Amino acid sequence: MGRVGARAESPVTLLREYTPAVRGLLDGDRLDVRGRYVHLDAVALDDPVPDVPPLLIGARGPRSVRLAGEVADGLLLDAVATPESVRTARNAVDAARSGAGIEGAAEVVVFVETTPEDARAAVDRFAAAGADAVVLLAPEDDPDPEPLIAALTRHVLHEGRGWLP
């Protein structure tokens, strides 16, 4: 955002205002919002979403991870995540939900760059660390997804595992 001159002075404040506004619009509410970043006057969607999907926040830092637990359904972690950072984020986001009086665990989705040979082990490592879903990405230095897809397809067909690429 900084490269295009649109960096928010307070990204956490922006998320704190933006997320409930998006949720309200998706839920079919007509909103009047006067925040630091979000300004809405009697705004509603013409065609509300019939089945509202989970609202996840992409976050890295501890404040935005906690915020995801307070105002969203969960958290998206990018490909720089490690199993330890997923474990830490899982604990923080769930504690924030609990502290905000929200029942149930947050959904944690992590993007993982991996090779075809390590795909299954990567899923297992990140799931054990607390990820609910692991999105596998081909390595940056070899971005062709076909070998990864082929390896996952062989594994699923051969072993009949209950996980999908």
Side-chain angles (χ1 to χ4, degrees):
M1 297 295 288
R3 292 181 190 158
V4 297
R7 182 178 304 272
E9 187 177 309
S10 176
V12 173
T13 300
L14 178 117
L15 276 173
R16 185 173 298 283
E17 292 178 6
Y18 195 86
T19 305
V22 169
R23 180 178 307 285
L25 291 171
L26 290 174
D27 286 343
D29 299 339
R30 179 168 302 282
L31 300 178
D32 291 301
V33 178
R34 284 279 160 246
R36 180 174 176 185
Y37 295 101
V38 178
H39 308 280
L40 302 173
D41 293 315
V43 174
L45 297 178
D46 288 336
D47 295 309
V49 179
D51 296 311
V52 178
L55 187 55
L56 308 179
I57 289 180
R60 277 192 192 163
R63 290 176 56 219
S64 54
V65 167
R66 284 191 307 272
L67 180 65
E70 295 170 10
V71 299
D73 298 315
L75 178 64
L76 291 172
L77 298 169
D78 63 14
V80 300
T82 64
E84 185 54 39
S85 68
V86 170
R87 191 173 292 106
T88 299
R90 159 58 72 194
N91 292 335
V93 75
D94 285 342
R97 284 177 76 75
S98 178
I102 302 170
E103 293 185 20
E107 183 173 347
V108 175
V109 177
V110 62
F111 288 78
V112 176
E113 189 176 291
T114 189
T115 63
E117 299 77 26
D118 192 45
R120 177 58 196 212
V123 170
D124 290 343
R125 282 192 307 274
F126 284 91
D132 296 299
V134 179
V135 179
L136 300 176
L137 306 171
E140 187 176 327
D141 61 348
D142 186 13
D144 180 8
E146 290 300 323
L148 184 58
I149 292 168
L152 295 171
T153 301
R154 279 192 307 276
H155 180 78
V156 170
L157 292 176
H158 177 69
E159 296 190 25
R161 298 286 185 194
W163 59 281
L164 298 174

